[in-house]
mmCIF file of all heavy atoms in Angstrom:
data_model
loop_
_atom_site.group_PDB
_atom_site.id
_atom_site.type_symbol
_atom_site.label_atom_id
_atom_site.label_comp_id
_atom_site.label_asym_id
_atom_site.label_seq_id
_atom_site.Cartn_x
_atom_site.Cartn_y
_atom_site.Cartn_z
ATOM 1 N N GLY A 76 34.772 5.422 -35.457
ATOM 2 C CA GLY A 76 34.109 4.128 -35.245
ATOM 3 C C GLY A 76 32.960 3.919 -36.230
ATOM 4 O O GLY A 76 32.376 4.884 -36.740
ATOM 5 N N PHE A 77 32.628 2.637 -36.484
ATOM 6 C CA PHE A 77 31.546 2.361 -37.442
ATOM 7 C C PHE A 77 30.206 2.919 -36.962
ATOM 8 O O PHE A 77 29.808 2.752 -35.810
ATOM 9 C CB PHE A 77 31.412 0.853 -37.687
ATOM 10 C CG PHE A 77 30.143 0.506 -38.421
ATOM 11 C CD1 PHE A 77 29.985 0.841 -39.759
ATOM 12 C CD2 PHE A 77 29.083 -0.090 -37.764
ATOM 13 C CE1 PHE A 77 28.811 0.545 -40.442
ATOM 14 C CE2 PHE A 77 27.894 -0.391 -38.421
ATOM 15 C CZ PHE A 77 27.770 -0.072 -39.758
ATOM 16 N N GLY A 78 29.537 3.582 -37.897
ATOM 17 C CA GLY A 78 28.181 4.043 -37.656
ATOM 18 C C GLY A 78 27.416 4.050 -38.967
ATOM 19 O O GLY A 78 28.002 4.225 -40.033
ATOM 20 N N ALA A 79 26.129 3.827 -38.905
ATOM 21 C CA ALA A 79 25.284 3.871 -40.095
ATOM 22 C C ALA A 79 23.855 4.152 -39.677
ATOM 23 O O ALA A 79 23.451 3.854 -38.544
ATOM 24 C CB ALA A 79 25.363 2.560 -40.884
ATOM 25 N N ARG A 80 23.101 4.739 -40.585
ATOM 26 C CA ARG A 80 21.673 4.966 -40.302
ATOM 27 C C ARG A 80 20.826 4.343 -41.412
ATOM 28 O O ARG A 80 21.043 4.560 -42.590
ATOM 29 C CB ARG A 80 21.357 6.451 -40.215
ATOM 30 C CG ARG A 80 19.838 6.701 -40.095
ATOM 31 C CD ARG A 80 19.511 8.068 -39.594
ATOM 32 N NE ARG A 80 19.857 8.259 -38.221
ATOM 33 C CZ ARG A 80 20.073 9.464 -37.676
ATOM 34 N NH1 ARG A 80 19.960 10.547 -38.415
ATOM 35 N NH2 ARG A 80 20.380 9.581 -36.400
ATOM 36 N N VAL A 81 19.867 3.528 -40.984
ATOM 37 C CA VAL A 81 18.924 2.886 -41.906
ATOM 38 C C VAL A 81 17.825 3.888 -42.237
ATOM 39 O O VAL A 81 17.288 4.558 -41.363
ATOM 40 C CB VAL A 81 18.300 1.635 -41.249
ATOM 41 C CG1 VAL A 81 17.290 0.979 -42.177
ATOM 42 C CG2 VAL A 81 19.387 0.647 -40.831
ATOM 43 N N PHE A 82 17.503 4.029 -43.541
ATOM 44 C CA PHE A 82 16.420 4.938 -43.899
ATOM 45 C C PHE A 82 15.332 4.297 -44.746
ATOM 46 O O PHE A 82 14.295 4.892 -44.987
ATOM 47 C CB PHE A 82 16.969 6.177 -44.614
ATOM 48 C CG PHE A 82 17.522 5.932 -46.008
ATOM 49 C CD1 PHE A 82 16.744 6.152 -47.127
ATOM 50 C CD2 PHE A 82 18.828 5.489 -46.159
ATOM 51 C CE1 PHE A 82 17.261 5.925 -48.397
ATOM 52 C CE2 PHE A 82 19.341 5.268 -47.427
ATOM 53 C CZ PHE A 82 18.550 5.490 -48.548
ATOM 54 N N LYS A 83 15.560 3.043 -45.130
ATOM 55 C CA LYS A 83 14.563 2.402 -46.004
ATOM 56 C C LYS A 83 14.751 0.900 -45.996
ATOM 57 O O LYS A 83 15.867 0.404 -45.913
ATOM 58 C CB LYS A 83 14.739 2.965 -47.424
ATOM 59 C CG LYS A 83 13.812 2.382 -48.472
ATOM 60 C CD LYS A 83 14.078 3.042 -49.815
ATOM 61 C CE LYS A 83 13.377 2.325 -50.931
ATOM 62 N NZ LYS A 83 13.608 2.944 -52.254
ATOM 63 N N ILE A 84 13.634 0.182 -46.079
ATOM 64 C CA ILE A 84 13.642 -1.271 -46.249
ATOM 65 C C ILE A 84 12.891 -1.580 -47.536
ATOM 66 O O ILE A 84 11.828 -1.010 -47.789
ATOM 67 C CB ILE A 84 12.938 -1.995 -45.066
ATOM 68 C CG1 ILE A 84 13.600 -1.618 -43.721
ATOM 69 C CG2 ILE A 84 12.925 -3.503 -45.275
ATOM 70 C CD1 ILE A 84 15.032 -2.061 -43.571
ATOM 71 N N SER A 85 13.449 -2.462 -48.372
ATOM 72 C CA SER A 85 12.734 -2.861 -49.578
ATOM 73 C C SER A 85 13.051 -4.322 -49.889
ATOM 74 O O SER A 85 13.848 -4.962 -49.182
ATOM 75 C CB SER A 85 13.128 -1.972 -50.761
ATOM 76 O OG SER A 85 14.476 -2.206 -51.146
ATOM 77 N N VAL A 86 12.415 -4.855 -50.917
ATOM 78 C CA VAL A 86 12.638 -6.239 -51.351
ATOM 79 C C VAL A 86 12.955 -6.210 -52.835
ATOM 80 O O VAL A 86 12.253 -5.544 -53.606
ATOM 81 C CB VAL A 86 11.396 -7.098 -51.076
ATOM 82 C CG1 VAL A 86 11.603 -8.535 -51.573
ATOM 83 C CG2 VAL A 86 11.064 -7.113 -49.587
ATOM 84 N N ASP A 87 14.026 -6.901 -53.258
ATOM 85 C CA ASP A 87 14.368 -6.888 -54.683
ATOM 86 C C ASP A 87 13.521 -7.920 -55.440
ATOM 87 O O ASP A 87 12.673 -8.605 -54.859
ATOM 88 C CB ASP A 87 15.875 -7.101 -54.892
ATOM 89 C CG ASP A 87 16.335 -8.517 -54.539
ATOM 90 O OD1 ASP A 87 15.484 -9.391 -54.279
ATOM 91 O OD2 ASP A 87 17.558 -8.758 -54.532
ATOM 92 N N GLU A 88 13.771 -8.028 -56.744
ATOM 93 C CA GLU A 88 12.957 -8.903 -57.575
ATOM 94 C C GLU A 88 13.100 -10.385 -57.231
ATOM 95 O O GLU A 88 12.213 -11.184 -57.507
ATOM 96 C CB GLU A 88 13.329 -8.690 -59.068
ATOM 97 C CG GLU A 88 12.949 -7.317 -59.590
ATOM 98 C CD GLU A 88 13.443 -7.068 -61.007
ATOM 99 O OE1 GLU A 88 14.212 -7.907 -61.523
ATOM 100 O OE2 GLU A 88 13.047 -6.033 -61.583
ATOM 101 N N GLN A 89 14.215 -10.735 -56.604
ATOM 102 C CA GLN A 89 14.422 -12.135 -56.183
ATOM 103 C C GLN A 89 13.887 -12.412 -54.785
ATOM 104 O O GLN A 89 14.015 -13.526 -54.273
ATOM 105 C CB GLN A 89 15.920 -12.482 -56.222
ATOM 106 C CG GLN A 89 16.492 -12.668 -57.617
ATOM 107 C CD GLN A 89 16.649 -11.362 -58.374
ATOM 108 O OE1 GLN A 89 17.127 -10.383 -57.801
ATOM 109 N NE2 GLN A 89 16.219 -11.334 -59.629
ATOM 110 N N GLY A 90 13.308 -11.394 -54.154
ATOM 111 C CA GLY A 90 12.746 -11.578 -52.819
ATOM 112 C C GLY A 90 13.733 -11.323 -51.693
ATOM 113 O O GLY A 90 13.422 -11.593 -50.518
ATOM 114 N N ASN A 91 14.929 -10.816 -52.002
ATOM 115 C CA ASN A 91 15.924 -10.512 -50.974
ATOM 116 C C ASN A 91 15.518 -9.232 -50.242
ATOM 117 O O ASN A 91 15.177 -8.225 -50.864
ATOM 118 C CB ASN A 91 17.300 -10.310 -51.587
ATOM 119 C CG ASN A 91 17.832 -11.552 -52.260
ATOM 120 O OD1 ASN A 91 17.908 -12.610 -51.637
ATOM 121 N ND2 ASN A 91 18.186 -11.447 -53.531
ATOM 122 N N ARG A 92 15.592 -9.272 -48.915
ATOM 123 C CA ARG A 92 15.293 -8.083 -48.114
ATOM 124 C C ARG A 92 16.502 -7.158 -48.149
ATOM 125 O O ARG A 92 17.625 -7.579 -47.864
ATOM 126 C CB ARG A 92 14.979 -8.492 -46.678
ATOM 127 C CG ARG A 92 14.530 -7.350 -45.757
ATOM 128 C CD ARG A 92 14.325 -7.919 -44.355
ATOM 129 N NE ARG A 92 13.648 -6.984 -43.457
ATOM 130 C CZ ARG A 92 14.257 -6.090 -42.698
ATOM 131 N NH1 ARG A 92 15.585 -5.987 -42.730
ATOM 132 N NH2 ARG A 92 13.569 -5.310 -41.887
ATOM 133 N N LEU A 93 16.275 -5.899 -48.496
ATOM 134 C CA LEU A 93 17.362 -4.920 -48.599
ATOM 135 C C LEU A 93 17.235 -3.875 -47.492
ATOM 136 O O LEU A 93 16.166 -3.297 -47.286
ATOM 137 C CB LEU A 93 17.319 -4.223 -49.951
ATOM 138 C CG LEU A 93 17.488 -5.096 -51.206
ATOM 139 C CD1 LEU A 93 17.329 -4.249 -52.457
ATOM 140 C CD2 LEU A 93 18.820 -5.809 -51.198
ATOM 141 N N THR A 94 18.330 -3.650 -46.791
ATOM 142 C CA THR A 94 18.396 -2.576 -45.806
ATOM 143 C C THR A 94 19.197 -1.427 -46.420
ATOM 144 O O THR A 94 20.404 -1.564 -46.665
ATOM 145 C CB THR A 94 19.106 -3.052 -44.507
ATOM 146 O OG1 THR A 94 18.332 -4.100 -43.897
ATOM 147 C CG2 THR A 94 19.250 -1.920 -43.509
ATOM 148 N N HIS A 95 18.512 -0.320 -46.720
ATOM 149 C CA HIS A 95 19.183 0.836 -47.323
ATOM 150 C C HIS A 95 19.702 1.726 -46.183
ATOM 151 O O HIS A 95 18.934 2.123 -45.288
ATOM 152 C CB HIS A 95 18.205 1.625 -48.187
ATOM 153 C CG HIS A 95 17.650 0.814 -49.337
ATOM 154 N ND1 HIS A 95 18.113 0.948 -50.619
ATOM 155 C CD2 HIS A 95 16.673 -0.128 -49.366
ATOM 156 C CE1 HIS A 95 17.443 0.125 -51.409
ATOM 157 N NE2 HIS A 95 16.560 -0.542 -50.676
ATOM 158 N N LEU A 96 20.994 2.031 -46.221
ATOM 159 C CA LEU A 96 21.583 2.799 -45.130
ATOM 160 C C LEU A 96 22.668 3.733 -45.662
ATOM 161 O O LEU A 96 23.166 3.563 -46.787
ATOM 162 C CB LEU A 96 22.154 1.864 -44.058
ATOM 163 C CG LEU A 96 23.146 0.772 -44.491
ATOM 164 C CD1 LEU A 96 24.564 1.314 -44.565
ATOM 165 C CD2 LEU A 96 23.109 -0.393 -43.495
ATOM 166 N N LYS A 97 22.991 4.712 -44.845
ATOM 167 C CA LYS A 97 24.122 5.589 -45.127
ATOM 168 C C LYS A 97 25.193 5.343 -44.064
ATOM 169 O O LYS A 97 24.899 5.349 -42.860
ATOM 170 C CB LYS A 97 23.706 7.051 -45.076
ATOM 171 C CG LYS A 97 24.871 8.040 -45.250
ATOM 172 C CD LYS A 97 24.438 9.453 -44.930
ATOM 173 C CE LYS A 97 25.623 10.417 -44.997
ATOM 174 N NZ LYS A 97 25.260 11.756 -44.541
ATOM 175 N N VAL A 98 26.419 5.103 -44.514
ATOM 176 C CA VAL A 98 27.523 4.897 -43.567
ATOM 177 C C VAL A 98 27.943 6.276 -43.031
ATOM 178 O O VAL A 98 28.227 7.191 -43.803
ATOM 179 C CB VAL A 98 28.723 4.205 -44.243
ATOM 180 C CG1 VAL A 98 29.873 4.013 -43.274
ATOM 181 C CG2 VAL A 98 28.301 2.859 -44.826
ATOM 182 N N THR A 99 27.943 6.436 -41.712
ATOM 183 C CA THR A 99 28.241 7.737 -41.092
ATOM 184 C C THR A 99 29.529 7.723 -40.268
ATOM 185 O O THR A 99 29.851 8.706 -39.613
ATOM 186 C CB THR A 99 27.061 8.163 -40.181
ATOM 187 O OG1 THR A 99 26.858 7.134 -39.184
ATOM 188 C CG2 THR A 99 25.784 8.358 -40.979
ATOM 189 N N GLY A 100 30.255 6.593 -40.325
ATOM 190 C CA GLY A 100 31.517 6.530 -39.601
ATOM 191 C C GLY A 100 32.212 5.203 -39.866
ATOM 192 O O GLY A 100 31.558 4.207 -40.177
ATOM 193 N N GLY A 101 33.556 5.197 -39.761
ATOM 194 C CA GLY A 101 34.305 3.960 -39.986
ATOM 195 C C GLY A 101 34.063 3.437 -41.371
ATOM 196 O O GLY A 101 34.064 4.174 -42.346
ATOM 197 N N SER A 102 33.835 2.130 -41.485
ATOM 198 C CA SER A 102 33.469 1.532 -42.783
ATOM 199 C C SER A 102 32.675 0.255 -42.505
ATOM 200 O O SER A 102 32.691 -0.287 -41.399
ATOM 201 C CB SER A 102 34.717 1.211 -43.618
ATOM 202 O OG SER A 102 35.434 0.139 -43.046
ATOM 203 N N LEU A 103 31.981 -0.196 -43.545
ATOM 204 C CA LEU A 103 31.169 -1.408 -43.441
ATOM 205 C C LEU A 103 31.689 -2.417 -44.463
ATOM 206 O O LEU A 103 31.783 -2.106 -45.644
ATOM 207 C CB LEU A 103 29.692 -1.082 -43.731
ATOM 208 C CG LEU A 103 28.725 -2.276 -43.728
ATOM 209 C CD1 LEU A 103 28.675 -2.914 -42.345
ATOM 210 C CD2 LEU A 103 27.340 -1.833 -44.160
ATOM 211 N N LYS A 104 32.064 -3.612 -43.992
ATOM 212 C CA LYS A 104 32.612 -4.654 -44.867
ATOM 213 C C LYS A 104 31.644 -5.819 -45.004
ATOM 214 O O LYS A 104 30.839 -6.089 -44.097
ATOM 215 C CB LYS A 104 33.946 -5.158 -44.317
ATOM 216 C CG LYS A 104 35.052 -4.102 -44.288
ATOM 217 C CD LYS A 104 36.334 -4.686 -43.738
ATOM 218 C CE LYS A 104 37.448 -3.625 -43.706
ATOM 219 N NZ LYS A 104 38.697 -4.168 -43.135
ATOM 220 N N VAL A 105 31.730 -6.491 -46.157
ATOM 221 C CA VAL A 105 30.973 -7.711 -46.351
ATOM 222 C C VAL A 105 31.390 -8.733 -45.281
ATOM 223 O O VAL A 105 32.564 -8.820 -44.926
ATOM 224 C CB VAL A 105 31.223 -8.278 -47.770
ATOM 225 C CG1 VAL A 105 30.615 -9.683 -47.930
ATOM 226 C CG2 VAL A 105 30.647 -7.342 -48.817
ATOM 227 N N LYS A 106 30.420 -9.463 -44.764
ATOM 228 C CA LYS A 106 30.581 -10.463 -43.690
ATOM 229 C C LYS A 106 30.796 -9.843 -42.309
ATOM 230 O O LYS A 106 31.052 -10.554 -41.328
ATOM 231 C CB LYS A 106 31.719 -11.462 -43.997
ATOM 232 C CG LYS A 106 31.510 -12.249 -45.278
ATOM 233 C CD LYS A 106 30.186 -13.006 -45.275
ATOM 234 C CE LYS A 106 29.937 -13.738 -46.594
ATOM 235 N NZ LYS A 106 28.564 -14.313 -46.647
ATOM 236 N N ALA A 107 30.664 -8.501 -42.231
ATOM 237 C CA ALA A 107 30.749 -7.861 -40.901
ATOM 238 C C ALA A 107 29.549 -8.295 -40.063
ATOM 239 O O ALA A 107 28.436 -8.454 -40.581
ATOM 240 C CB ALA A 107 30.758 -6.342 -41.061
ATOM 241 N N LEU A 108 29.790 -8.495 -38.780
ATOM 242 C CA LEU A 108 28.716 -8.871 -37.860
ATOM 243 C C LEU A 108 28.154 -7.612 -37.227
ATOM 244 O O LEU A 108 28.874 -6.872 -36.549
ATOM 245 C CB LEU A 108 29.255 -9.822 -36.784
ATOM 246 C CG LEU A 108 28.220 -10.389 -35.805
ATOM 247 C CD1 LEU A 108 27.285 -11.352 -36.515
ATOM 248 C CD2 LEU A 108 28.913 -11.073 -34.635
ATOM 249 N N LEU A 109 26.880 -7.358 -37.467
ATOM 250 C CA LEU A 109 26.215 -6.173 -36.911
ATOM 251 C C LEU A 109 25.247 -6.593 -35.816
ATOM 252 O O LEU A 109 24.683 -7.695 -35.852
ATOM 253 C CB LEU A 109 25.471 -5.399 -37.996
ATOM 254 C CG LEU A 109 26.291 -4.850 -39.155
ATOM 255 C CD1 LEU A 109 25.411 -4.050 -40.087
ATOM 256 C CD2 LEU A 109 27.447 -4.001 -38.639
ATOM 257 N N THR A 110 25.073 -5.728 -34.838
ATOM 258 C CA THR A 110 24.133 -5.986 -33.746
ATOM 259 C C THR A 110 23.205 -4.800 -33.580
ATOM 260 O O THR A 110 23.498 -3.689 -34.012
ATOM 261 C CB THR A 110 24.876 -6.227 -32.414
ATOM 262 O OG1 THR A 110 25.667 -5.053 -32.127
ATOM 263 C CG2 THR A 110 25.785 -7.430 -32.495
ATOM 264 N N GLY A 111 22.073 -5.051 -32.982
ATOM 265 C CA GLY A 111 21.126 -3.976 -32.741
ATOM 266 C C GLY A 111 19.908 -4.478 -31.985
ATOM 267 O O GLY A 111 19.903 -5.621 -31.500
ATOM 268 N N GLN A 112 18.894 -3.649 -31.909
ATOM 269 C CA GLN A 112 17.614 -4.020 -31.307
ATOM 270 C C GLN A 112 16.526 -3.794 -32.326
ATOM 271 O O GLN A 112 16.500 -2.735 -32.991
ATOM 272 C CB GLN A 112 17.319 -3.223 -30.041
ATOM 273 C CG GLN A 112 18.187 -3.612 -28.857
ATOM 274 C CD GLN A 112 17.716 -2.950 -27.570
ATOM 275 O OE1 GLN A 112 17.211 -1.834 -27.587
ATOM 276 N NE2 GLN A 112 17.888 -3.632 -26.460
ATOM 277 N N ASP A 113 15.621 -4.765 -32.491
ATOM 278 C CA ASP A 113 14.560 -4.608 -33.477
ATOM 279 C C ASP A 113 13.466 -3.663 -32.956
ATOM 280 O O ASP A 113 13.578 -3.103 -31.864
ATOM 281 C CB ASP A 113 14.008 -5.949 -33.916
ATOM 282 C CG ASP A 113 13.324 -6.716 -32.777
ATOM 283 O OD1 ASP A 113 12.992 -6.083 -31.746
ATOM 284 O OD2 ASP A 113 13.151 -7.944 -32.905
ATOM 285 N N ILE A 114 12.432 -3.505 -33.746
ATOM 286 C CA ILE A 114 11.369 -2.550 -33.428
ATOM 287 C C ILE A 114 10.663 -2.899 -32.127
ATOM 288 O O ILE A 114 10.077 -2.048 -31.467
ATOM 289 C CB ILE A 114 10.348 -2.488 -34.609
ATOM 290 C CG1 ILE A 114 9.570 -1.184 -34.588
ATOM 291 C CG2 ILE A 114 9.452 -3.703 -34.638
ATOM 292 C CD1 ILE A 114 10.298 -0.019 -35.190
ATOM 293 N N LYS A 115 10.756 -4.189 -31.707
ATOM 294 C CA LYS A 115 10.138 -4.643 -30.444
ATOM 295 C C LYS A 115 11.084 -4.518 -29.271
ATOM 296 O O LYS A 115 10.730 -4.848 -28.138
ATOM 297 C CB LYS A 115 9.659 -6.100 -30.575
ATOM 298 C CG LYS A 115 8.574 -6.303 -31.630
ATOM 299 C CD LYS A 115 8.248 -7.782 -31.779
ATOM 300 C CE LYS A 115 7.220 -7.998 -32.880
ATOM 301 N NZ LYS A 115 6.958 -9.438 -33.130
ATOM 302 N N GLY A 116 12.340 -4.084 -29.542
ATOM 303 C CA GLY A 116 13.313 -3.931 -28.470
ATOM 304 C C GLY A 116 14.115 -5.176 -28.185
ATOM 305 O O GLY A 116 14.869 -5.226 -27.221
ATOM 306 N N GLU A 117 13.972 -6.215 -29.043
ATOM 307 C CA GLU A 117 14.719 -7.476 -28.838
ATOM 308 C C GLU A 117 16.058 -7.392 -29.577
ATOM 309 O O GLU A 117 16.129 -6.896 -30.707
ATOM 310 C CB GLU A 117 13.891 -8.667 -29.354
ATOM 311 C CG GLU A 117 12.585 -8.851 -28.580
ATOM 312 C CD GLU A 117 11.713 -9.935 -29.193
ATOM 313 O OE1 GLU A 117 12.114 -10.524 -30.230
ATOM 314 O OE2 GLU A 117 10.629 -10.203 -28.634
ATOM 315 N N SER A 118 17.123 -7.891 -28.947
ATOM 316 C CA SER A 118 18.466 -7.812 -29.514
ATOM 317 C C SER A 118 18.610 -8.783 -30.683
ATOM 318 O O SER A 118 18.020 -9.854 -30.707
ATOM 319 C CB SER A 118 19.510 -8.144 -28.453
ATOM 320 O OG SER A 118 19.465 -7.178 -27.416
ATOM 321 N N TRP A 119 19.441 -8.392 -31.655
ATOM 322 C CA TRP A 119 19.744 -9.259 -32.798
ATOM 323 C C TRP A 119 21.226 -9.126 -33.153
ATOM 324 O O TRP A 119 21.864 -8.141 -32.822
ATOM 325 C CB TRP A 119 18.862 -8.938 -34.003
ATOM 326 C CG TRP A 119 18.948 -7.526 -34.511
ATOM 327 C CD1 TRP A 119 18.105 -6.491 -34.208
ATOM 328 C CD2 TRP A 119 19.923 -6.981 -35.419
ATOM 329 N NE1 TRP A 119 18.480 -5.347 -34.852
ATOM 330 C CE2 TRP A 119 19.579 -5.608 -35.606
ATOM 331 C CE3 TRP A 119 21.019 -7.487 -36.092
ATOM 332 C CZ2 TRP A 119 20.334 -4.759 -36.432
ATOM 333 C CZ3 TRP A 119 21.779 -6.648 -36.912
ATOM 334 C CH2 TRP A 119 21.425 -5.312 -37.074
ATOM 335 N N SER A 120 21.725 -10.146 -33.852
ATOM 336 C CA SER A 120 23.112 -10.162 -34.321
ATOM 337 C C SER A 120 23.123 -10.900 -35.657
ATOM 338 O O SER A 120 22.794 -12.084 -35.713
ATOM 339 C CB SER A 120 24.004 -10.851 -33.291
ATOM 340 O OG SER A 120 25.326 -10.949 -33.757
ATOM 341 N N GLU A 121 23.492 -10.188 -36.753
ATOM 342 C CA GLU A 121 23.428 -10.790 -38.095
ATOM 343 C C GLU A 121 24.603 -10.310 -38.943
ATOM 344 O O GLU A 121 25.166 -9.237 -38.706
ATOM 345 C CB GLU A 121 22.113 -10.423 -38.786
ATOM 346 C CG GLU A 121 20.888 -11.017 -38.096
ATOM 347 C CD GLU A 121 19.579 -10.605 -38.780
ATOM 348 O OE1 GLU A 121 19.476 -9.432 -39.198
ATOM 349 O OE2 GLU A 121 18.692 -11.462 -38.877
ATOM 350 N N LYS A 122 24.949 -11.128 -39.951
ATOM 351 C CA LYS A 122 26.066 -10.805 -40.831
ATOM 352 C C LYS A 122 25.588 -10.131 -42.117
ATOM 353 O O LYS A 122 24.524 -10.445 -42.644
ATOM 354 C CB LYS A 122 26.835 -12.088 -41.209
ATOM 355 C CG LYS A 122 27.847 -12.514 -40.177
ATOM 356 C CD LYS A 122 28.665 -13.681 -40.704
ATOM 357 C CE LYS A 122 29.685 -14.129 -39.641
ATOM 358 N NZ LYS A 122 30.472 -15.298 -40.100
#
């Protein structure tokens, strides 16, 4: 099953927010819908 771990957040020269992660299971595709909880514990869902 899909799994990944985020280890770094950065911003590129154009101001895009980058989530640096390692895929640890399954695969990750462009336009995949990911869900999680932010640092405050609130749920999110983003592509």
Side-chain angles (χ1 to χ4, degrees):
F77 167 71
R80 173 163 290 158
V81 178
F82 69 97
K83 178 179 170 180
I84 303 296
S85 69
V86 178
D87 70 8
E88 292 175 352
Q89 286 73 45
N91 297 305
R92 185 182 191 271
L93 300 176
T94 297
H95 298 259
L96 54 84
K97 175 191 176 187
V98 179
T99 58
S102 70
L103 177 63
K104 295 180 181 179
V105 171
K106 300 304 177 188
L108 184 68
L109 299 184
T110 58
Q112 288 189 327
D113 63 18
I114 202 81
K115 297 175 183 176
E117 296 174 359
S118 297
W119 58 264
S120 177
E121 295 178 321
K122 277 187 181 178

